[in-house]
Structures are given as structure tokens and as C-alpha cells.
Amino acid sequence: MSEQPPLARRRPIDPVLEVEGLSKSFGERPALREVSLEVNRGELLALLGPNGAGKTTLLSILAGITRADSGRIDRANGEVGWVPQQAGLYRRLTVEENLSLFSRMEGVQDVEATIERMLAQTGLAERRHDQVSSLSGGNQQRINIAIGLLGDPSVLLLDEPSSGLDPSQRVRLWEFVAGLSQAGTTVIYSTHQIDEASHYGDRLVVLADGETIFDGGFDEMRRAAGPRPQGTAADPENDFVRFLHKRGH
Amino acid sequence: MRWLLLKDLQLLRRSPLVSGLLVVYPIVLAVLIGLAISRGPEKPRVAFLNQIPTGTGLSLGNGAFSQDEARRQLCAKIECVDVSSRAEVEQKVKDGDVLGGLILPPDFISKLQAELSTNGTEPATVDVIVNNDDPLKAQLVDDRISSLLTQANLLISEKISGVAGNYEQILANGGEFTIPFLNQTVHILGLQRSEQILNSVAPTLPPAQRSQVTQVSDFARLARQNLALANDLLAAVRQPIAVDKQVIGGSVPPLDTFAVAVAASITLLFVTVLLVSGSLALEREENTFTRLTRGLVSRTGLLVEKAVLGTGAALAVTLLMLAAITPFESISWGRIYLIIPAILLAGAASSGLGLAIGAAAREVRASALLAFALALPVAFISLVPSGTVGKTLLDVIHVIAGAFPFRATVDALSGALSASGPALGLPLLHLALLTVAYLVLARLALRRFA
């Protein structure tokens, strides 16, 4: 997978989201420390980091679910779409009923047309009358993302979207996400899969202990990690672990 | 909120077990309660074995007490199941066909007769066969048997009092008297006539004898006057204690109405609490809570939507139950203008409880378990009547029961269903306060959801 060319490329600079000095603590434990970020239109940004690094907290704050203790967030016009890690769907309702319910709650003007568009985009038009519980994890995740897109957001936030999916479902998911990015939607996602981040991300932001320790492309991070030890295979995961060790994590 | 409500109804439709339960539960409960009320309290079935020889009766002076009369009076109070042997009695009690067995031994009448003649050596006894497999049943049998024996003893004492009163009349006023066993009738002069005779002969006697006759005449007069008092005493012995019942507090609805109100309250509480708590917990279990409350609906709005769902379900289910019970028990549908507000407020309070449970629980199964664990004992202790437990314990029970909507629901529905039930104002106010308190609790508990 790492030998394939990236699906998305860097976009022209057109910031849709600017974050400056974002901090958040849970009790005595700091979850984010002075995190700053600027994301451009159509950019695919991967948030990486070990467990407890602050990835989900950052996404929750950007989504408006959690309030930051300090810092500033500037958004360009347009909604921020949110896709939780576990699909937030009514499993006893059909695909169409879920899309219809959330469209109406989002206040979408033309509900029917929006449903058709989402069904076409997710490739699930033929399964529109199936209950969500009967869909595979990958297809449920597609509907999960489609619901995040109902408000036609300029920024889409995905929290570990590929967790629990098998390899072929993951490939289909990333093709779908890359398609969104190419259509101009900014996508910020958290992941533990370094190969996915290196392959499908335009840019990587690495968090550790609530701090940004890297912001740039994968090749840049690999260079920062230093030379591979002799006898070690070319592997993005090894490169990432080496990078973290070098930064003391 | 409209779309969320429609979604919840759609989910209910997709869950045949839950929706079936919502419809079937009140109907089944209503039919059971209806049958129980309409058939009234049944006489206990008792296996009855009479081993007394045919024709033997209790002889009480001029009066008598036949076997047929005794059986008629006994079987008016219990359902006598005639059996032919002691083994059959024991088998029927063991099988649960009858509540107990009653055996009148062959020597019962002779022993009783001897006892009444004051020359009996051992008391007349009846044999009672019971099955103590259930403490409640054992208590019921004990109570019934004690009651029957008390009534039988009272009946015999009434007969004896009657006979004694008759003797006293003959002794005082004179008359015919049939000697028991000899069947011989003799004439008794009586104290009154004796006094008259003595008074008439006294003037003809010499002074010394006259004085003696006058003393006997005075004794006859005094004895007659005191025997008149004995008559009153015998009447008092027949019924020494009279009851003068005065109601000093509490408006009591008819027992049938109270039973309907209790059944409806149980249905309303269980259905509403389970539905609402499950529905709220489901939002978390399906991971839709965060999605919904991220700008689509406020947390308070979500709670209100669930409360509306629960209150609507409470109204539908309770009205369905009352309709199902109507063939068995007359429901005052003319009081519907009181019944509906009572159900709505009871539904709102029960929904509030469901919301607090659903907000505290993290998943549907936990919420259902919590709902049962809370609702069942609360319903039970709310029905503990005053006077059956100590004052301190009763105060504790009142405080606990007051914190839950069941007792207030029973009072509100009793008041709404019957004009003689409790006043509606206080229970409705209680329910309204509980609704607000539970909504606040649920709103606070929702902070844990994010």
C-alpha cells in the first residue's frame, strides 16, 4: 500500500480553519497545550500520535462538542461536519430513514435531493431500504460520514474513521474520503494507522502529551526521524516510531 | 423535536416485542384485575368430612341444634367440598384443590353434649388439615378457621343463652316445661304465682306464721325482680361488644375503584419508566446523543421530547387498560375530564423518573434493570397501609414513597375515577413537583453523557 502514489495532493493556500493557542485540561491532567493549526480548503490533514496524545480532544473542540479552556478558533464560512469514531446511527432505521431524519434536523432545504445525492456519493442507493444493522462496518461508516456531510460542511472532522474495518473496506473508505477532499471539502482525521496517514494525508500533524511535535509532510517527518538502522525494512510505522523516540516520546 | 418523536415511534414500530408489550401488558393486566374484581371475594374451598352419625343433634334443654342446620350455616361461610374419607381430605389439601380440610369426628356431638352438661371429661374437637407450604396461605387458613370456630362458639352460646332465658321466664312467671331426654312435660308454678299464693294466705295465718310466710313471699318477689335483670345479662353475653365505627380522616374510594387505580398505576409506571429510560439510553448506545446535541437539538430539548413520548404512551396505555377493564368494572367515563389530567401528570412524573434513570445508565439493558429495581419495590412499599408497621418505619416508607410517583399516581387516579376518592389537588401538585425535580436530575446526569 505504501508503494502507491497518494490520492490527494496539496491544495493552494486558502485557509478555512485557523486554531491558535488551544489548551484544555481534564482536572489536573492537561490534554492539549497551546496547539496551533491552519488548515486549507480541500486539504486532507491526518492527526497522529500515541494514545492520550490529545487527538480526540482536539477534534471534539473543533467540532464544538467540548469547550477549550483557552485559545482561539477561526472558521471560514460553512459548517463543520463531525463524524464520531463509532457510527452515530439508528441501527433499526433504514439507510434512507437515517439520512432523512438527520437532513430534516439539519434543516436541509431539499431533503429528497440531498438523500439521493448522499446515496449516490456513498454508493449505497441499492441498499437504501435496508436497516443499518444489516450493513457491514464499512458501509455503516460511509453512512456515518454521509450524515456528517449533510450540512454541506466546508470542514469534515473524522475521528479514527477506519478503526474496526477490514483492509478492503478501509481502501474503499479512503477513496471515498479522498473524493470529498478533491471536491473541495477539508478533511481532518485522527488515526493510528501511519501507513494510511502517509498514503492518504496531504499533511501530518503529530501530537504527543497534548503538544504539536510535528506539522508537515510524511517525507519531511521521515527525514526528521533520521536514517533507518541497517537491516530494517522501509516501513512508515518504523519511521514514525523512530521519529517519536527521537523526540523523546 | 417533531422528527425525533416520529423517529422514536418508528423505532417502536420496528421493535415488535416492545410495542407488543405496550399493548398486551395493560390488556392482560386489565382482564386479570377485572376478573378478580367482578367475581368478588370467593369463599375458601374446604374439604368437609362429617363422621357424626346421621340424625344426631345437639340438644340444649328445650332447644336443639341439628346437623343439617350446622352444615347449612358452616357452608354459607365456606365452600364445602364433601369428601368420604380422611385420606381424601389429606390428598385434596396436598394437591391444593382445597385451602384446608375440616373433619367432624363421630364423637363430636356426644363430647360437646357432655361438656354442656358440665360432666364432660375432654373437650369436643374438630380436626383441621392444612398444607403449610406457603406462609401467606397458612396465615389465611388459620384466620379462616379461627373465625369459623369463633362463629360456631358464638352460635352455641346464643342457643344456650336463649334456652337459659326461657328457663328464667318459666322460673319467674311459671309455665310448661319439657324435661330433656325424658320428653316429659311438667307444669312449673313460678315465683310470681308463688308470691301471689303466699300473699293471699298470709292474712289468714297466726301472726308468728304470717311473719314467716311474708319473708318467703318477699324472697319470691326479690328473686323474680333479679331474674328480670338476669335476662338483660344473658342478652349482653350474646353480644358483649357492639361496634360504632366513626371515620375521622381520609376519603376512601370503593375497593374496586382502588384496585383499578392500583392496576392502572402499576401499568403506567412500568411502561413509561421502561420506555423513556430505554429510549434515552438508546441515544447513547447508538452514539447518536453527541451527534444530536451538537447543534441539532439541545439537551433539555431532547429530554422534553422523551418526556412527551413517555406521557403520550402513558395516556394511550392507561386509557387502553381502562377500556379493557370496562366490561368487568364500571368506569366513570363521565369523569374523563379528571381522568386525563391525572394520567398526563402521572405520565409526566413517571417519564421524569425514566429520564433520570436513562441519563444515569449508559446502556439500554442497564436502564431496564435499574427501572425494574427501582419501580418494583417502590410500588410495593407505597401500598403498605398505616398501622401495619411501626411509626418510624412508616415515616421512612412515606419519605421514600413520596420521592417516587407511584403513590401520588394511585391517589390521583383514585380521585379521578371516583367522587368518593381522595381530593385531586394534592396528588396532582405532588406529581408536577416530581416531574420538575426529575427533569432537573436528568439534565444534571446528562453531563456524564458527553
Side-chain angles (χ1 to χ4, degrees):
Chain A
M1 189 180 281
S2 59
E3 298 306 317
Q4 295 168 6
L7 287 175
R9 301 292 175 199
R10 274 199 183 256
R11 309 283 154 182
I13 292 173
D14 178 10
V16 289
L17 184 71
E18 287 182 62
V19 174
E20 198 177 308
L22 220 53
S23 293
K24 173 74 184 174
S25 292
F26 293 107
E28 293 295 305
R29 189 179 64 82
L32 285 181
R33 305 177 216 226
E34 297 287 322
V35 172
S36 297
L37 203 61
E38 187 181 282
V39 195
N40 295 314
R41 183 170 304 282
E43 199 167 26
L44 254 169
L45 187 147
L47 280 176
L48 285 165
N51 286 333
K55 304 184 294 291
T56 299
T57 305
L58 177 59
L59 286 179
S60 297
I61 292 171
L62 295 180
I65 294 165
T66 307
R67 196 171 291 174
D69 296 336
S70 61
R72 184 175 60 83
I73 302 171
D74 284 340
R75 295 186 191 94
N77 289 338
E79 294 255 337
V80 173
W82 161 249
V83 180
Q85 184 179 350
Q86 302 290 328
L89 304 167
Y90 294 104
R91 284 161 183 77
R92 279 191 181 271
L93 296 186
T94 65
V95 170
E96 187 173 340
E97 285 164 349
N98 268 285
L99 289 170
S100 170
L101 169 70
F102 285 107
S103 296
R104 290 178 202 284
M105 295 200 68
E106 287 275 6
V108 167
Q109 291 296 317
D110 190 344
V111 172
E112 297 307 319
T114 305
I115 292 172
E116 293 306 325
R117 181 163 55 86
M118 287 303 162
L119 286 172
Q121 213 166 347
T122 54
L124 290 169
E126 286 181 8
R127 305 201 64 179
R128 64 195 302 158
H129 299 304
D130 290 359
Q131 284 190 21
V132 167
S133 57
S134 70
L135 299 182
S136 66
N139 284 340
Q140 286 190 20
Q141 191 60 295
R142 283 202 221 181
I143 300 298
N144 193 28
I145 295 172
I147 288 171
L149 290 167
L150 283 172
D152 203 14
S154 53
V155 178
L156 184 65
L157 306 170
L158 304 162
D159 189 8
E160 299 192 27
S162 62
S163 66
L165 302 186
D166 66 33
S168 61
Q169 285 175 336
R170 263 191 265 167
V171 169
R172 281 201 296 274
L173 170 77
W174 287 116
E175 284 171 349
F176 176 64
V177 172
L180 296 174
S181 167
Q182 281 165 352
T185 305
T186 301
V187 179
I188 304 176
Y189 63 94
S190 64
T191 182
H192 282 290
Q193 306 289 329
I194 185 67
D195 54 341
E196 284 180 357
S198 65
H199 201 69
Y200 300 110
D202 292 334
R203 180 178 153 202
L204 314 182
V205 169
V206 180
L207 294 176
D209 293 333
E211 286 179 312
T212 309
I213 59 168
F214 179 80
D215 185 350
F218 179 70
D219 288 338
E220 208 178 321
M221 191 194 74
R222 191 158 48 191
R223 278 195 296 277
R228 273 191 212 112
Q230 278 195 337
T232 318
D235 178 17
E237 213 157 293
N238 287 338
D239 295 335
F240 182 59
V241 171
R242 214 167 56 250
F243 170 78
L244 286 176
H245 280 169
K246 195 168 181 184
R247 295 296 177 97
H249 293 283
Chain B
M1 191 185 294
R2 178 165 60 112
W3 300 114
L4 274 180
L5 203 54
L6 284 173
K7 176 267 297 177
D8 280 333
L9 293 175
Q10 223 165 2
L11 285 175
L12 269 181
R13 197 162 54 86
R14 294 276 159 79
S15 312
L17 189 68
V18 178
S19 14
L21 192 73
L22 284 175
V23 176
V24 172
Y25 183 72
I27 291 178
V28 169
L29 200 63
V31 170
L32 288 175
I33 297 286
L35 282 173
I37 293 173
S38 59
R39 291 181 70 183
E42 287 187 344
K43 292 187 221 168
R45 277 166 62 84
V46 174
F48 183 59
L49 176 61
N50 185 3
Q51 296 179 315
I52 301 168
T54 314
T56 311
L58 186 64
S59 180
L60 297 163
N62 277 349
F65 204 51
S66 72
Q67 273 192 60
D68 288 342
E69 188 188 350
R71 190 187 190 288
R72 186 183 55 75
Q73 294 208 11
L74 179 72
C75 295
K77 295 181 170 41
I78 58 173
E79 185 186 338
C80 295
V81 179
D82 288 320
V83 289
S84 54
S85 69
R86 189 181 189 91
E88 197 181 348
V89 174
E90 288 174 353
Q91 192 58 48
K92 281 198 177 293
V93 172
K94 199 174 172 185
D95 293 347
D97 282 353
V98 290
L99 195 62
L102 187 64
I103 301 172
L104 299 182
D107 59 355
F108 177 72
I109 292 290
S110 57
K111 279 185 178 174
L112 188 59
Q113 191 75 62
E115 211 176 351
L116 293 173
S117 312
T118 67
N119 55 8
T121 51
E122 48 184 320
T125 52
V126 293
D127 292 347
V128 175
I129 313 286
V130 292
N131 185 355
N132 273 6
D133 60 344
D134 179 339
L136 278 177
K137 193 167 137 184
Q139 181 66 45
L140 179 66
V141 173
D142 279 353
D143 289 348
R144 290 282 185 174
I145 298 291
S146 299
S147 167
L148 279 174
L149 280 178
T150 305
Q151 286 174 7
N153 285 332
L154 184 63
L155 200 65
I156 291 170
S157 91
E158 276 179 2
K159 284 276 180 191
I160 292 170
S161 297
V163 171
N166 197 29
Y167 285 170
E168 178 267 323
Q169 282 295 317
I170 292 172
L171 197 60
N173 303 323
E176 302 294 322
F177 174 63
T178 305
I179 301 168
F181 308 114
L182 296 177
N183 210 20
Q184 200 175 14
T185 303
V186 292
H187 181 78
I188 304 293
L189 182 63
L191 291 168
Q192 189 178 22
R193 184 70 188 129
S194 303
E195 185 190 347
Q196 285 168 358
I197 292 169
L198 288 171
N199 286 343
S200 63
V201 299
T204 62
L205 295 174
Q209 287 173 318
R210 191 188 307 155
S211 165
Q212 287 174 327
V213 168
T214 303
Q215 279 180 17
V216 175
S217 167
D218 287 348
F219 167 74
R221 180 171 47 79
L222 276 173
R224 187 169 52 81
Q225 285 170 348
N226 282 297
L227 276 175
L229 290 176
N231 209 18
D232 293 341
L233 187 64
L234 284 171
V237 166
R238 274 197 292 271
Q239 193 171 2
I241 300 170
V243 177
D244 179 16
K245 182 180 168 185
Q246 292 178 19
V247 178
I248 56 165
S251 308
V252 183
L255 186 60
D256 292 357
T257 305
F258 184 71
V260 170
V262 168
S265 301
I266 288 174
T267 306
L268 186 152
L269 180 77
F270 272 85
V271 167
T272 312
V273 170
L274 280 172
L275 177 68
V276 173
S277 62
S279 178
L280 185 59
L282 185 74
E283 299 290 359
R284 183 176 169 84
E285 202 168 274
E286 300 270 54
N287 301 308
T288 47
F289 178 80
T290 314
R291 179 160 258 164
L292 289 174
T293 52
R294 203 190 137 254
L296 300 183
V297 62
S298 68
R299 291 175 184 211
T300 306
L302 186 65
L303 290 179
V304 170
E305 182 270 324
K306 301 293 180 199
V308 169
L309 173 76
T311 307
L315 183 66
V317 163
T318 313
L319 286 179
L320 181 66
M321 185 185 173
L322 292 178
I325 215 167
T326 301
F328 306 100
E329 177 63 31
S330 171
I331 301 292
S332 309
W333 288 109
R335 295 171 65 82
I336 191 78
Y337 63 96
L338 294 174
I339 294 173
I340 286 183
I343 296 174
L344 287 179
L345 266 173
S350 296
S351 297
L353 176 61
L355 288 173
I357 291 171
R362 286 179 173 265
E363 52 184 29
V364 177
R365 272 182 294 185
S367 76
L369 190 67
L370 203 55
F372 264 111
L374 271 175
L376 203 62
V378 163
F380 181 72
I381 65 163
S382 298
L383 294 173
V384 172
S386 58
T388 53
V389 292
K391 189 182 176 308
T392 311
L393 182 57
L394 191 69
D395 288 344
V396 173
I397 286 174
H398 280 162
V399 170
I400 294 171
F404 293 91
F406 182 74
R407 184 68 222 194
T409 301
V410 172
D411 289 344
L413 286 178
S414 298
L417 287 167
S418 166
S420 60
L424 264 177
L426 208 57
L428 291 186
L429 178 67
H430 188 176
L431 289 169
L433 289 175
L434 284 178
T435 306
V436 174
Y438 280 129
L439 278 174
V440 171
L441 264 180
R443 183 65 188 82
L444 291 174
L446 272 193
R447 290 182 176 186
R448 298 171 62 240
F449 257 44

